Amino acid sequence: MIAMSVRGVAMAAAGMLLAGVVACTAAEGVGRMSEEKSGGLLIGWATADLTPERPVVIAGQRHIRVSEGVMDPVTATVLVLESKAEGAKVEQAVLVSCDLVCISNELRDAVREKVRDKVPGVDPGQVVLNATHTHTAPMTRTGKWRGMDLGVDVMPAGEYVNLIAGRIADAVAQAWKDRAPQGISYGLGQAVVGHNRLACSFDGKSTMYGKTDRPDFSHVEGYEDHSVNVLATWSRERRLTGLVVNVACPSQVSEGEFQISADYWHDVRVELRRRFGGDLFVLPQCSAAGDQSPHLLLNRAAEERMRKLAGISERQAIAVRIADAVSSAMPVLQQSIEADPRFVHRAGTVELPRRALGKAEADNAAAEARRCRAKYEELRAGLIAKPELKKEPRWYVPASSAYGLAEWNELVAARLELQKSQPRVPVEVHVLLLGDVAFATNPFEYYLDYGCQIKARSRAVQTFVVQLAGEGTYLPSARATAGGSYGAVPASTIVGPEGGRELARRTVELIDGLWKRK
């Protein structure tokens, strides 16, 4: 009875809010948007199912996980934007959000190539893919685990990439075909979703998910951004067609599972569609959040107790918070629709300084790699000697864990050589201006400090920072690097704090430059 009562109150409050929005719209007598003002911006939406039909390797951990079923589907959501303002340059952008851990170069290139073939009107270079960083989606890096020979029976990553690249390209074609004059509005809400995941001790060291009940626990390392940036799209009849929702938190509540899942974004879609219509498109974006996660360092027992009393899971609790933030912004969104906002999209390459590594760091990593590779060979030999071990559940985990750690540490020596011949790293970035809203992408797990720097300095009223529009690797802050936590060690990074600050600076310059273009 208590659980039903708590959840009932929450849902009733949401219902009252939506009723107020509907009443407000009816009282104002809102009708169709002006035909004359709605011809400049064309908008199209579509979705694609990325759920594999066969077992795959799940990405997101240092060991292999073979999918054992589907908890909920993984999808791609496509938003096409095109401006055909008279006398102006035609502008395009194709935003694709994927329930994946990252966007591998192989997937990006395959999607763009298929879009080139299937949608002649779209410039493939204007297609921008971002990942929600769910740790329960298939692997898309075709080179990952390639040298490991354990005889695991799964769909090859290359086959999966080709499969979903075709589905995403088909969705782009559908969104392009369906594009029509629509309006946009934007707003800001608040929802506690992401938490800094680094616990610091009095000696200055930080540990990912470190224990906070220890006597040497000092503080949580960094800031947490609970803002929810929302962009809504509207038909000429002022019907809500889609939402872009941007939060500073990766989608990894269910990160250790052996089932395919979109994680909390699945629950968010369900909740938003329950409130705003079953045909609503929802495009999730993860803002700079390399040091964030939905997992708590503090108040765990209290939070768990509240969820049990409310009768909801952790993912559902997050979904309700995000949906409440969107609902709170909805009256403003409905009253501030722009039928023909200015639209500019620029893509480019920014070269960042490679993280400087020393020989001692490379030697230490090489020694750890040799130790892990020897362990892998020992475990592999044991599996060959006793094939009956393969009948045990998840028999491949220990050997693949050793192999994954060896591969991870071996990257350090490779990067040491690269910094001699290629001291700078080229990265693809996109900046968009839509009305007074800016979007800025980067390929990294970009620490929150940098996202805050961009948002604070940006000329836009709201700035949607979008991380993991690429393969990833952490880009840590200076304080995280000093603390020595997992995401800041040499094996986890290509670019260091100096490059992180440079990327923030260049991103702000690119955003500001959009105002100078007609």
Side-chain angles (χ1 to χ4, degrees):
M1 290 296 293
I2 293 176
M4 290 296 293
S5 175
V6 172
R7 191 172 188 188
V9 169
M11 297 306 177
M16 290 173 63
L17 174 59
L18 293 180
V21 171
V22 173
C24 177
T25 302
E28 293 178 358
V30 174
R32 292 169 60 87
M33 288 194 297
S34 167
E35 297 283 339
E36 293 77 19
K37 292 185 178 181
S38 60
L41 183 65
L42 303 179
I43 293 176
W45 287 94
T47 61
D49 186 359
L50 308 184
T51 311
E53 288 80 20
R54 291 159 51 197
V56 294
V57 170
I58 297 176
Q61 303 289 351
R62 292 289 167 209
H63 59 268
I64 277 183
R65 287 173 295 156
V66 175
S67 60
E68 299 171 357
V70 177
M71 187 183 304
D72 40 73
V74 288
T75 62
T77 305
V78 177
L79 170 60
V80 165
L81 301 165
E82 186 186 34
S83 176
K84 288 187 175 182
E86 185 176 350
K89 176 184 179 293
V90 174
E91 298 283 356
Q92 293 180 349
V94 179
L95 306 182
V96 185
S97 175
C98 302
D99 293 325
L100 297 171
V101 74
C102 70
I103 303 298
S104 67
N105 291 338
E106 300 96 318
L107 177 60
R108 177 202 62 199
D109 295 344
V111 168
R112 288 177 175 172
E113 187 61 33
K114 291 179 184 296
V115 166
R116 187 191 306 276
D117 295 337
K118 295 182 179 185
V119 198
V122 172
D123 176 0
Q126 305 299 298
V127 178
V128 189
L129 296 93
N130 75 274
T132 61
H133 204 56
T134 174
H135 279 49
T136 44
M139 173 68 66
T140 62
R141 291 178 176 173
T142 57
K144 184 73 172 175
W145 309 109
R146 180 176 289 174
M148 190 181 68
D149 183 20
L150 293 178
V152 179
D153 184 17
V154 293
M155 178 191 294
E159 182 180 338
Y160 177 72
V161 165
N162 186 63
L163 171 69
I164 65 171
R167 292 181 181 179
I168 292 171
D170 287 341
V172 172
Q174 186 64 54
W176 181 256
K177 178 183 176 182
D178 292 345
R179 72 194 191 284
Q182 293 194 38
I184 64 104
S185 59
Y186 60 93
L188 181 70
Q190 299 288 328
V192 178
V193 182
H195 307 272
N196 188 286
R197 63 183 187 173
L198 303 173
C200 298
S201 54
F202 289 115
D203 62 4
K205 301 297 183 181
S206 59
T207 304
M208 183 175 68
Y209 304 133
K211 292 184 177 181
T212 55
D213 58 355
R214 294 170 47 174
D216 63 344
F217 167 68
S218 172
H219 60 282
V220 175
E221 184 176 85
Y223 183 62
E224 298 170 354
D225 182 1
H226 301 308
S227 60
V228 179
N229 285 288
V230 184
L231 181 88
T233 63
W234 306 86
S235 71
R236 284 183 170 179
E237 295 76 26
R238 293 190 175 241
R239 180 180 64 84
L240 180 64
T241 57
L243 293 169
V244 178
V245 185
N246 181 292
V247 299
C249 184
S251 185
Q252 56 185 101
V253 173
S254 305
E255 63 179 332
E257 298 291 339
F258 282 69
Q259 291 183 300
I260 298 297
S261 172
D263 211 276
Y264 71 70
W265 279 112
H266 170 76
D267 304 85
V268 171
R269 292 187 189 103
V270 169
E271 183 63 20
L272 287 173
R273 288 169 181 159
R274 186 189 70 80
R275 299 188 187 195
F276 299 112
D279 59 349
L280 180 71
F281 292 96
V282 180
L283 190 152
Q285 294 175 334
C286 184
S287 187
D291 52 351
Q292 308 289 300
S293 90
H295 301 303
L296 290 163
L297 293 184
L298 303 168
N299 298 321
R300 292 176 182 172
E303 288 277 355
E304 184 177 0
R305 171 182 175 273
M306 292 298 291
R307 290 196 302 271
K308 285 182 177 179
L309 291 174
I312 59 176
S313 68
E314 184 177 359
R315 284 172 38 169
Q316 289 171 329
I318 290 172
V320 169
R321 290 182 207 138
I322 292 175
D324 284 347
V326 174
S327 295
S328 69
M330 191 56 67
V332 173
L333 296 173
Q334 287 192 305
Q335 294 170 24
S336 58
I337 301 173
E338 299 178 46
D340 188 15
R342 55 185 166 181
F343 172 42
V344 187
H345 175 200
R346 296 292 176 265
T349 300
V350 175
E351 291 196 347
L352 304 175
R354 192 176 294 275
R355 176 174 178 170
L357 298 175
K359 187 176 183 304
E361 291 174 311
D363 289 345
N364 289 338
E368 181 64 14
R370 288 192 296 271
R371 186 191 69 80
C372 293
R373 192 161 288 279
K375 183 65 175 178
Y376 161 71
E377 294 295 348
E378 176 189 338
L379 292 169
R380 180 173 175 270
L383 290 169
I384 293 173
K386 296 182 178 180
E388 64 271 16
L389 293 175
K390 291 188 176 183
K391 296 180 181 180
E392 297 294 325
R394 303 172 184 174
W395 55 269
Y396 51 82
V397 168
S400 66
S401 178
Y403 184 92
L405 286 170
E407 189 177 56
W408 184 57
N409 280 282
E410 286 165 354
L411 291 173
V412 179
R415 290 170 182 169
L416 179 63
E417 291 305 310
L418 277 174
Q419 80 182 30
K420 300 174 184 176
S421 59
Q422 300 174 28
R424 298 186 73 83
V425 181
V427 299
E428 180 180 306
V429 297
H430 292 257
V431 289
L432 288 78
L433 182 65
L434 198 56
D436 286 327
V437 170
F439 291 82
T441 74
N442 70 81
F444 300 105
E445 289 187 67
Y446 201 36
Y447 273 41
L448 183 66
D449 285 2
Y450 302 119
C452 292
Q453 291 167 23
I454 293 170
K455 291 181 181 182
R457 301 172 192 168
S458 171
R459 185 173 173 180
V461 174
Q462 279 182 232
T463 300
F464 292 55
V465 177
V466 186
Q467 73 166 17
L468 284 170
E471 283 204 328
T473 75
Y474 290 97
L475 208 172
S477 63
R479 58 179 164 181
T481 303
S485 57
Y486 162 77
V489 297
S492 295
T493 60
I494 295 174
V495 177
E498 180 186 4
R501 293 191 298 271
E502 185 169 334
L503 178 57
R505 178 182 60 81
R506 291 287 292 122
T507 299
V508 172
E509 290 176 352
L510 291 168
I511 292 172
D512 289 349
L514 297 179
W515 265 266
K516 301 174 183 178
R517 301 179 181 271
K518 294 184 180 180

